[in-house]
Amino acid sequence: MAAAEPPADVKAIFNDYSENGTMSVDHLRQFMAEVQGEEKATVEDAQEVLDSLQQLNIFQKRGLNLEAFFKYLFGDLNPPLNPKLGVHHDMTAPLSHYFIYTGHNSYLTGNQLSSDCSDVPIINALKNGVRVIELDIWPNSTKDSISVLHGRTLTAPVEFLKCLKSIKEYAFVASEYPVVITLEDHLTPDLQALAAQMITETFGDMLFTPGDECLSEFPSPESLKRRVMISTKPPQEYKSTGDDKDFDEDGEDEDECGEDVAAEYRRLIAIHAGKGKGGVGERVMVDPSKVRRLSLSELQIEKGVATHAFEIVRFTHKNLLRIYPKGTRVDSSNFDPLTAWMHGAQLVAFNMQGYGRELWMMHGMFRANGGCGYVKKPEFLLGHDGRVFDPKAAIPIRTTLRVTVYMGEGWYHDFEHTHFDTYSPPDFYAKVGIVGVPVDCMMKKTKTIGDNWIPSWDEVFEFPITIPELALLRIEVHEYDMSDKDDFAGQTCLPIRELRQGIRAVPLCSQKGEQYKSVKLLMRFEFF
């Protein structure tokens, strides 16, 4: 197989920023500032790059030759998001000011009807930065302890205590910011008391417990570092004649802050939850004296925004809005999260074991802010100036992103050589586009490069963007198949507001969202 050849652009840029075939540390600094958009790049920054390249044996003492420069651009040291950026959003605002990485039925290993329940998907979610874990809790078969399972299905249960212990162990491996456990509660009062005991004994001082009072404002992620919060509806009198008939798909009853049974259980609830009564308009009424979490299904939010978009956005200024998949998604698929995000919903609950473009979008959103699971909402969704964002209003174009798709490589190393075609090299094409508010959404496609493991497209696309804060760059590669469905060959999704300009090596992921070892695209990003 022939070695990858630098694109014409890369050769031209090397000639511009080198002397006698060598790019010195000063040349590299100038390239970083002028082409890569790193205006504050210092000679020390450039030297750090050269030192890193020296360890990879692609650096000569005097500087970089063209081959070394190309390998640097197409290597792991040049990603599209800045790995040094880390957590950089203001983390001192109330929880309601953030999009929060949220799981749905976090204990399921597969589909919603017959898969096993386990703590393994909970552990995996926490390792990936998910900050909201949902557990459905039911009496066990002997009614003397608590199981986690998807009620009225064939899912095999897992012990509640086992899930709690796994949450404690893995809560902060990916992020120090708070973990919220949302409980869909189907327990009797005595088992609610047992649940309170299990939670208290497992988490101890890690628990954030405001006591009997409903909060008037949510604390900040910064103030809740390494803390665990419980969110559920306050305990109700147990209805022996079919406890869960009064629950919606996600088992949530109306919120009440009055007296009840199981006082210890109530005391643990940091975020009071409920679905409210009446239509969406009534449910999103704001109570100035307390904050709460409201749950709506994807169908309810779709219908609700048609008539109550203003009220929904206003509700999310102080309160938490959770959107969960409709009950017919038995295959653990997900919905487009953008409608919910556009209207300020912080908790877009996703089936993390269900793959597809919607989950890739979720991965993309939460690559922002150092992958900590909390992404600050845009200012226009926070209501600071007393105004409420109107998602239906015409918005001017704020920026245009020009994307150059140069080439790709790595499939030869990461895939069986007969994976795409039995007798010939693959025929790759790339799809690039924006997902965001409806007016920004657009996908474009390169030509297909036949019979080549290292496709070179060298195509340029432009995308006008009105709301970059909610926009994601979606990238897919497929292998053209004349007689059957085109084969998947990699994908990624990147937050526009953290995308670095310049020539970057973009690693691609599998359908499950796991990064390939070698597969990447060489691309250029320019904002104007």
Side-chain angles (χ1 to χ4, degrees):
M1 187 180 66
E5 179 80 11
D9 265 11
V10 171
K11 292 178 181 177
I13 288 170
F14 180 79
N15 288 336
D16 289 343
Y17 291 89
S18 64
E19 201 171 312
N20 299 322
T22 300
M23 181 181 279
S24 68
V25 66
D26 288 320
H27 291 136
L28 180 58
R29 187 214 64 78
Q30 191 180 359
F31 162 77
M32 291 166 71
E34 295 175 4
V35 178
Q36 303 295 77
E38 300 167 32
E39 295 94 347
K40 296 179 181 177
T42 62
V43 173
E44 289 76 20
D45 294 329
Q47 187 63 52
E48 187 181 334
V49 170
L50 293 181
D51 292 344
S52 301
L53 296 175
Q54 197 166 16
Q55 296 170 11
L56 301 176
N57 298 319
I58 59 171
F59 166 61
Q60 298 160 344
K61 283 189 177 180
R62 288 169 44 240
L64 301 175
N65 61 19
L66 173 61
E67 181 188 5
F69 178 61
F70 176 50
K71 284 184 177 178
Y72 157 62
L73 288 181
F74 213 174
D76 296 336
L77 297 176
N78 186 35
L81 304 180
N82 187 351
K84 293 182 178 179
L85 208 51
V87 177
H88 58 283
H89 295 181
D90 171 19
M91 302 302 282
T92 62
L95 289 179
S96 55
H97 288 202
Y98 302 84
F99 297 127
I100 307 174
Y101 206 178
T102 302
H104 175 257
N105 291 350
S106 305
Y107 50 86
L108 289 179
T109 56
N111 68 61
Q112 303 283 310
L113 295 181
S114 59
S115 66
D116 288 339
C117 302
S118 168
D119 63 335
V120 173
I122 296 171
I123 293 168
N124 291 338
L126 292 168
K127 283 181 174 179
N128 289 327
V130 172
R131 298 290 84 194
V132 183
I133 299 295
E134 183 189 25
L135 304 178
D136 292 13
I137 49 178
W138 295 80
N140 68 353
S141 57
T142 52
K143 311 293 186 189
D144 61 351
S145 193
I146 304 168
S147 290
V148 172
L149 75 155
H150 197 204
R152 300 181 293 278
T153 68
L154 301 176
T155 55
V158 61
E159 292 177 358
F160 180 51
L161 186 58
K162 183 177 185 181
C163 294
L164 294 179
K165 288 180 175 178
S166 292
I167 292 172
K168 180 183 181 182
E169 184 175 352
Y170 291 93
F172 305 111
V173 294
S175 168
E176 286 194 308
Y177 291 97
V179 166
V180 179
I181 303 173
T182 60
L183 298 177
E184 183 185 316
D185 172 9
H186 303 275
L187 301 179
T188 56
D190 57 326
L191 288 180
Q192 286 176 339
L194 179 60
Q197 180 185 337
M198 290 177 172
I199 291 168
T200 303
E201 290 179 356
T202 301
F203 296 110
D205 292 341
M206 292 168 70
L207 273 180
F208 172 78
T209 53
D212 293 332
E213 297 301 317
C214 293
L215 293 167
S216 58
E217 183 177 73
F218 289 117
S220 70
E222 189 66 33
S223 70
L224 293 167
K225 271 187 173 177
R226 304 191 73 84
R227 303 295 292 275
V228 173
M229 307 172 79
I230 302 298
S231 179
T232 186
K233 64 189 186 304
Q236 305 284 318
E237 286 289 343
Y238 182 67
K239 305 175 184 71
S240 57
T241 56
D243 168 59
D244 41 1
K245 286 182 182 174
D246 291 338
F247 297 97
D248 66 0
E249 284 177 55
D250 253 31
E252 298 212 336
D253 208 345
E254 64 276 5
D255 181 21
E256 296 175 6
C257 278
E259 293 298 316
D260 53 60
V261 299
E264 188 62 22
Y265 182 77
R266 164 182 286 282
R267 193 184 67 79
L268 296 179
I269 302 173
I271 302 173
H272 287 260
K275 65 172 186 175
K277 293 179 179 177
V280 169
E282 289 86 358
R283 295 183 188 190
V284 295
M285 295 287 285
V286 175
D287 185 335
S289 67
K290 64 184 180 185
V291 291
R292 59 190 172 100
R293 168 171 72 82
L294 172 69
S295 281
L296 298 175
S297 72
E298 61 172 292
L299 296 177
Q300 288 171 323
I301 190 72
E302 285 171 10
K303 292 178 182 176
V305 299
T307 52
H308 294 93
F310 178 92
E311 293 87 350
I312 291 170
V313 174
R314 184 177 60 186
F315 177 82
T316 64
H317 290 169
K318 286 188 66 178
N319 299 279
L320 296 177
L321 179 59
R322 173 177 170 270
I323 310 299
Y324 60 90
K326 59 187 178 184
T328 53
R329 293 190 181 276
V330 295
D331 59 350
S332 293
S333 61
N334 291 298
F335 55 96
D336 185 337
L338 262 303
T339 297
W341 286 334
M342 276 171 56
H343 292 83
Q346 301 89 346
L347 308 170
V348 182
F350 261 36
N351 295 306
M352 296 300 167
Q353 80 282 23
Y355 312 125
R357 290 188 174 97
E358 294 79 13
L359 189 59
W360 303 343
M361 290 159 63
M362 183 66 64
H363 292 161
M365 170 62 86
F366 289 100
R367 286 191 173 101
N369 201 24
C372 75
Y374 286 80
V375 172
K376 190 89 185 303
K377 294 201 293 186
E379 285 295 309
F380 60 78
L381 285 174
L382 302 180
H384 285 323
D385 55 5
R387 289 186 293 180
V388 178
F389 172 64
D390 180 4
K392 296 185 180 68
I395 303 167
I397 292 169
R398 297 214 341 249
T399 188
T400 296
L401 172 63
R402 179 186 290 146
V403 176
T404 305
V405 186
Y406 289 120
M407 59 189 296
E409 71 168 8
W411 293 279
Y412 188 83
H413 303 292
D414 290 357
F415 287 79
E416 292 287 333
H417 297 168
T418 55
H419 178 88
F420 297 109
D421 283 309
T422 307
Y423 302 110
S424 64
D427 310 316
F428 289 125
Y429 64 88
K431 293 168 69 176
V432 181
I434 301 294
V435 287
V437 299
V439 71
D440 290 345
C441 292
M442 184 186 306
M443 289 298 291
K444 298 186 178 182
K445 180 179 167 183
T446 67
K447 58 185 175 286
T448 299
I449 302 297
D451 295 334
N452 203 321
W453 284 101
I454 306 177
S456 180
W457 297 286
D458 218 6
E459 294 190 48
V460 182
F461 306 106
E462 289 190 359
F463 303 99
I465 302 171
T466 62
I467 302 187
E469 297 91 342
L470 296 178
L472 303 167
L473 178 68
R474 190 158 73 76
I475 301 164
E476 291 182 29
V477 177
H478 296 267
E479 198 269 342
Y480 174 72
D481 194 319
M482 198 184 322
S483 60
D484 203 354
K485 184 180 177 184
D486 291 355
D487 292 315
F488 174 85
Q491 62 81 23
T492 193
C493 214
L494 302 168
I496 290 294
R497 58 176 166 173
E498 295 197 8
L499 190 64
R500 295 204 284 180
Q501 76 173 58
I503 301 172
R504 304 293 175 184
V506 180
L508 297 188
C509 301
S510 70
Q511 287 168 304
K512 294 183 179 181
E514 296 160 351
Q515 188 171 311
Y516 292 125
K517 185 178 179 182
S518 311
V519 178
K520 57 176 80 76
L521 301 183
L522 187 67
M523 307 179 74
R524 185 173 185 177
F525 307 115
E526 299 167 273
F527 290 96
F528 58 93

